[in-house]
Amino acid sequence: MIHMGFSGAVAFFLVRVFKVVSPVKMTFEIYATCVIPISAFFASSLWFGNTAYLHISVAFIQMLKALMPVATFLMAVVCGTDKLRCDVFLNMLLVSVGVVISSYGEIHFNVVGTVYQVTGIFAEALRLVLTQVLLQKKGLTLNPITSLYYIAPCSFVFLFVPWYLLEKPDMQVTQIQFNFWIFFSNALCALALNFSIFLVIGRTGAVTIRVAGVLKDWILIALSTVIFPESTITGLNIIGYAIALCGVLMYNYIKVKDVRASQLSSESITDRIAKDWKLEKKSTDIFTSNSNDGNGGNGSSDINVDEEAPLLPSRLSHIGRMQVGNHNQ
């Protein structure tokens, strides 16, 4: 809740006071049908995800987060933004098996914490899919600043209600040790995370982002075992997470390959049209030059024509002109 309040305040100053970016054209209909549902699921993912830290270890939470591609794929299929494919389904099955093995090897396994974390993962997946479905249909493009400007205050409200009803009654003033610099630096890190995501996406490719995400998970697991001694990792944990990681890497490879294939197909169509136009123009120029020379059959022998070239429309038209010119001469 503090993160959302701080991020919303900073985004407000950047948009309205310093005018770093311009706000998008936001209507009440778009806000009610897009921003509010996205903010609700974003708040849910934060609430359930943070609550899980009270019950299970940091290392095990990172292992459970390997389910994120599975949850996103299932939500995308349900919402109709992705199709059920056999290769992707097998990868999701491999990830799920790995997470189950890792959970079985967890020493301090807690059902409540695991349910909280999995619920937060599916809430985050639904938020991502809704962002794609709702905002793209409305034709809105939000960068991290404008996203925080619209979504953070709404998420703050959704987090304030359960805090006020569930957490505040159990909080006693004598138990609260409020250190401004701890909370401020913590909120500043959360804000920097959102901006760094935007910079990474803008300056690198999809492969770099996905590989960096996998590397981040390994670093978090290693550091958590050093900082928190109670986060004991067993051999079965490592085996299960390695299996899940293989599935995640294969899924990332398939998604990146699909993106590149779609880009190449669109580029090949454009290149093919441009190449055909150049061949047509070149054959026209050659035919015009041959007609102006008036050297009979000798002019045609000077033309360098690749007989192995495919019979494109421009190639056929060139051959036709040559035959007509020789016949007339």
Side-chain angles (χ1 to χ4, degrees), residues 175-218:
Q175 295 177 346
I176 300 176
Q177 297 179 355
F178 185 83
N179 189 314
F180 172 79
W181 292 109
I182 290 179
F183 281 94
F184 177 74
S185 60
N186 192 269
L188 201 62
C189 287
L191 181 67
L193 173 63
N194 290 289
F195 289 154
S196 65
I197 291 173
F198 171 69
L199 293 175
V200 170
I201 293 175
R203 297 179 181 272
T204 61
V207 179
T208 305
I209 296 171
R210 295 178 185 275
V211 172
V214 173
L215 181 63
K216 178 206 69 173
D217 292 338
W218 278 108

Side-chain angles (χ1 to χ4, degrees), residues 232-257:
T232 306
I233 298 179
T234 63
L236 206 55
N237 278 140
I238 298 175
I239 294 174
Y241 185 67
I243 294 174
L245 190 62
C246 290
V248 172
L249 291 175
M250 291 171 62
Y251 172 76
N252 291 341
Y253 173 74
I254 291 175
K255 298 303 289 184
V256 171
K257 189 172 68 172

Side-chain angles (χ1 to χ4, degrees), residues 87-311:
D87 54 352
V88 178
F89 178 76
L90 291 177
N91 284 333
M92 300 300 100
L93 189 62
L94 183 63
V95 173
S96 302
V97 169
V99 172
V100 170
I101 294 174
S102 180
S103 302
Y104 184 78
E106 176 66 15
I107 296 177
H108 305 290
F109 182 80
N110 185 284
V111 177
V112 176
T114 304
V115 170
Y116 272 126
Q117 182 59 40
V118 173
T119 305
I121 289 172
F122 275 90
E124 175 67 10
L126 195 54
R127 180 190 73 87
L128 294 174
V129 175
L130 281 179
T131 301
Q132 180 182 359
V133 172
L134 298 179
L135 294 184
Q136 286 185 358
K137 282 187 177 180
K138 302 295 183 180
L140 294 178
T141 54
L142 300 178
N143 58 46
I145 298 178
T146 52
S147 297
L148 291 175
Y149 176 73
Y150 292 110
I151 294 176
C154 192
S155 298
F156 174 84
V157 174
F158 279 112
L159 290 170
F160 178 82
V161 173
W163 171 79
Y164 186 81
L165 296 177
L166 300 177
E167 292 186 358
K168 187 176 181 298
D170 295 334
M171 295 174 63
Q172 298 180 6
V173 180
T174 55
Q175 295 177 346
I176 300 176
Q177 297 179 355
F178 185 83
N179 189 314
F180 172 79
W181 292 109
I182 290 179
F183 281 94
F184 177 74
S185 60
N186 192 269
L188 201 62
C189 287
L191 181 67
L193 173 63
N194 290 289
F195 289 154
S196 65
I197 291 173
F198 171 69
L199 293 175
V200 170
I201 293 175
R203 297 179 181 272
T204 61
V207 179
T208 305
I209 296 171
R210 295 178 185 275
V211 172
V214 173
L215 181 63
K216 178 206 69 173
D217 292 338
W218 278 108
I219 293 175
L220 275 174
I221 292 174
L223 285 178
S224 66
T225 57
V226 175
I227 299 175
F228 306 107
E230 66 273 10
S231 300
T232 306
I233 298 179
T234 63
L236 206 55
N237 278 140
I238 298 175
I239 294 174
Y241 185 67
I243 294 174
L245 190 62
C246 290
V248 172
L249 291 175
M250 291 171 62
Y251 172 76
N252 291 341
Y253 173 74
I254 291 175
K255 298 303 289 184
V256 171
K257 189 172 68 172
D258 290 343
V259 171
R260 287 181 176 177
S262 62
Q263 291 175 350
L264 288 176
S265 62
S266 61
E267 290 176 0
S268 62
I269 294 174
T270 306
D271 294 341
R272 196 180 305 124
I273 294 174
K275 185 177 181 181
D276 290 348
W277 181 82
K278 289 180 180 179
L279 286 173
E280 180 71 24
K281 186 176 183 299
K282 183 177 180 181
S283 62
T284 303
D285 293 342
I286 293 173
F287 174 71
T288 304
S289 175
N290 183 38
S291 300
N292 293 334
D293 289 342
N295 292 329
N298 295 331
S300 62
S301 62
D302 295 335
I303 301 173
N304 185 15
V305 179
D306 185 6
E307 298 297 338
E308 300 296 328
L311 295 178

